[in-house]
Amino acid sequence: MSQVLEENILKALATIIHGDKNIVEKGMVQGLQVQDGHVVFAIVVDPQVGAKAEPIRKAAEEKVYAMEGVLSATVVLTAEKEPGAPTQQSGHSHGHKAPPQQGGPLLPGVKAIIAVASGKGGVGKSTTTVNLALALHAQGLKVGLLDADIYGPSIPRMLGITGEPSSSDGQHLDPMEGHGIKCMSMGFLVEEETPIIWRGPMTQTALMQMLRDIAWGELDVMMIDMPPGTGDVQLTMAQQVPLTGAVIVSTPQDIALLDARKGLNMFRQVDVPVLGIVENMSYFECPHCGERTDVFSHGGAREEAELLQVDFLGEIPLDIKIRETSDSGHPIVDQDPTSPHAKAYKAIAKAMWEKACAKLEAKAASAPKIIQ
Ligand code: ADP
């Protein structure tokens, strides 16, 4: 069934002409996946063409979506040196930085890049990232936020951003903005309900595209909300993006289950400094009686951080207000900036930023000096 659908999809796509040939003949359609009526593929274009190829992407998506048996169609544009060249960047060399990417440095106007990671999903990584980004903004920094959690892009909703990004120069997409944070997410390009069945290599090309083809401009810091987990996709991202450092979010429970350790080891493997661990859903304060209940064993992260010789950045309680505010597009740091929870996020953000600045200074000091 899906074999037939695949052939029909390629037939439909062969009616889209680019230059002298159709896009299938030119080898521009790559990574086609069909699963239960959900179709995902990439269109590879010349980097010179870049975002100008958006109409091709759109046409391809509409063509496929209109086909019988197709429930959703997700098409990403990706730029490679030559159409038809492999989009693969898979495989990783432990302990070594990946070779520099084609097409110039990534994010040249961005001073620091901080990844927020977690050993598994659902620990509050995105909620933490958004609130930390807002806390940095409240400190007066220019902040960008890249939602690379391609499996569940929730940042646009948390920042209350809707609509689609546009391009003012016709070549690069402009980031969207919410509560003063510049933001880009797969969520802008993909419907929230669409199940995304990205393969690792496609995820990476999509991420690189979001780093390279977006007009981010000058920023003090770019936060990256990583996909949960510590698989090959995450490892390759950690290798390919010039990260200043990483922060690991975990619940007391997943610290006990050692998931946080995996995250830590992943960054250490690729020489990315871990700026610290944040314990989320650390404890629960009853909204009625004010009694504090440790849902999991509270304080695990602090002890674990000591054992692992990594800094403990702070703890955030499990509180319905944190959930309600972020899920409704007004995270607590923005909505109630003087509340105890907002203050806790601000303290964590301050500690994180100081550590990131120290890393940047150390890097600058160790860089070869040019003597004239
Ligand atoms: P992840 O990015 O790790 O998958 P999310 O940030 O999407 O997790 O959080 C999952 C759910 O938990 C969301 O509904 C979010 O609002 C909620 N949540 C996150 N942190 C807290 C917290 N400290 N207190 C209460 N709810 C939280």
Side-chain angles (χ1 to χ4, degrees):
M1 166 70 194
S2 90
Q3 183 66 34
V4 176
L5 196 51
E6 241 172 65
E7 281 166 21
N8 290 343
I9 288 168
L10 289 174
K11 261 189 220 155
L13 291 175
T15 60
I16 302 175
I17 309 294
H18 178 57
D20 51 344
K21 285 190 192 138
N22 75 59
I23 60 170
V24 178
E25 247 180 309
K26 285 188 116 173
M28 291 166 71
V29 177
Q30 290 203 11
L32 175 63
Q33 282 186 90
V34 183
Q35 196 177 319
D36 304 331
H38 301 289
V39 182
V40 183
F41 60 93
I43 292 192
V44 186
V45 295
D46 196 291
Q48 312 289 315
V49 179
K52 277 184 268 174
E54 169 60 18
I56 305 178
R57 190 203 65 80
K58 205 157 182 199
E61 201 166 79
E62 282 169 4
K63 272 236 147 78
V64 173
Y65 187 59
M67 289 175 61
E68 213 185 302
V70 173
L71 298 176
S72 75
T74 305
V75 184
V76 283
L77 264 190
T78 151
E80 288 291 332
K81 215 166 187 171
E82 289 166 358
T87 51
Q88 267 271 23
Q89 294 145 352
S90 70
H92 46 265
S93 45
H94 296 268
H96 295 288
K97 284 273 173 192
Q101 288 292 305
Q102 314 152 355
L106 285 173
L107 302 170
V110 178
K111 280 188 211 148
I113 309 175
I114 301 175
V116 183
S118 62
K120 64 180 173 88
V123 302
K125 172 180 51 58
S126 302
T127 310
T128 308
T129 311
V130 162
N131 277 297
L132 291 181
L134 286 164
L136 292 173
H137 176 65
Q139 272 189 46
L141 298 174
K142 280 193 212 136
V143 185
L145 204 173
L146 176 60
D147 185 4
D149 186 350
I150 308 200
Y151 305 108
S154 49
I155 299 287
R157 181 170 41 86
M158 292 185 179
L159 280 177
I161 302 174
T162 51
E164 280 179 25
S166 55
S167 171
S168 35
D169 65 3
Q171 288 203 343
H172 301 89
L173 285 178
D174 299 325
M176 308 282 276
E177 207 168 313
H179 305 301
I181 310 285
K182 282 190 180 173
C183 173
M184 192 61 202
S185 164
M186 290 311 289
F188 294 137
L189 311 174
V190 180
E191 291 294 327
E192 205 165 347
E193 305 81 47
T194 312
I196 313 164
I197 345 152
W198 303 97
R199 279 193 316 201
M202 277 183 73
T203 315
Q204 281 135 31
T205 10
L207 175 79
M208 286 302 141
Q209 196 182 353
M210 289 201 286
L211 289 173
R212 200 181 288 117
D213 300 341
I214 307 291
W216 289 106
E218 301 281 317
L219 293 177
D220 292 305
V221 55
M222 164 78 80
M223 304 282 293
I224 302 187
D225 184 10
M226 298 276 284
T230 50
D232 270 6
V233 173
Q234 292 81 354
L235 187 68
T236 312
M237 276 187 190
Q239 278 180 312
Q240 290 184 338
V241 181
L243 295 172
T244 310
V247 168
I248 294 171
V249 178
S250 50
T251 62
Q253 192 187 41
D254 89 283
I255 286 163
L257 292 173
L258 301 181
D259 276 331
R261 274 180 189 228
K262 287 191 216 149
L264 189 71
N265 288 337
M266 177 178 83
F267 288 111
R268 286 189 170 160
Q269 222 173 31
V270 290
D271 294 330
V272 171
V274 174
L275 304 175
I277 295 183
V278 177
E279 186 175 83
N280 189 35
M281 309 191 195
S282 186
Y283 57 90
F284 175 66
E285 222 167 52
C286 174
H288 307 295
C289 65
E291 195 192 327
R292 193 164 145 161
T293 323
D294 290 347
V295 185
F296 307 113
S297 62
H298 168 240
R302 192 182 288 274
E303 287 161 24
E304 186 71 12
E306 245 169 64
L307 271 179
L308 298 171
Q309 296 179 320
V310 61
D311 286 307
F312 180 70
L313 292 173
E315 58 192 27
I316 302 290
L318 175 68
D319 191 319
I320 185 80
K321 275 188 242 124
I322 294 178
R323 196 175 78 82
E324 281 172 355
T325 49
S326 61
D327 289 354
S328 67
H330 297 278
I332 195 141
V333 171
D334 177 74
Q335 176 150 320
D336 197 357
T338 54
S339 64
H341 299 335
K343 283 186 183 157
Y345 280 118
K346 286 180 177 177
I348 293 173
K350 189 164 174 280
M352 176 185 82
W353 181 238
E354 278 167 11
K355 286 181 202 311
C357 289
K359 298 287 174 207
L360 286 175
E361 275 165 31
K363 204 172 158 197
S366 68
K369 305 242 175 343
I370 298 166
I371 302 164
Q372 291 184 333

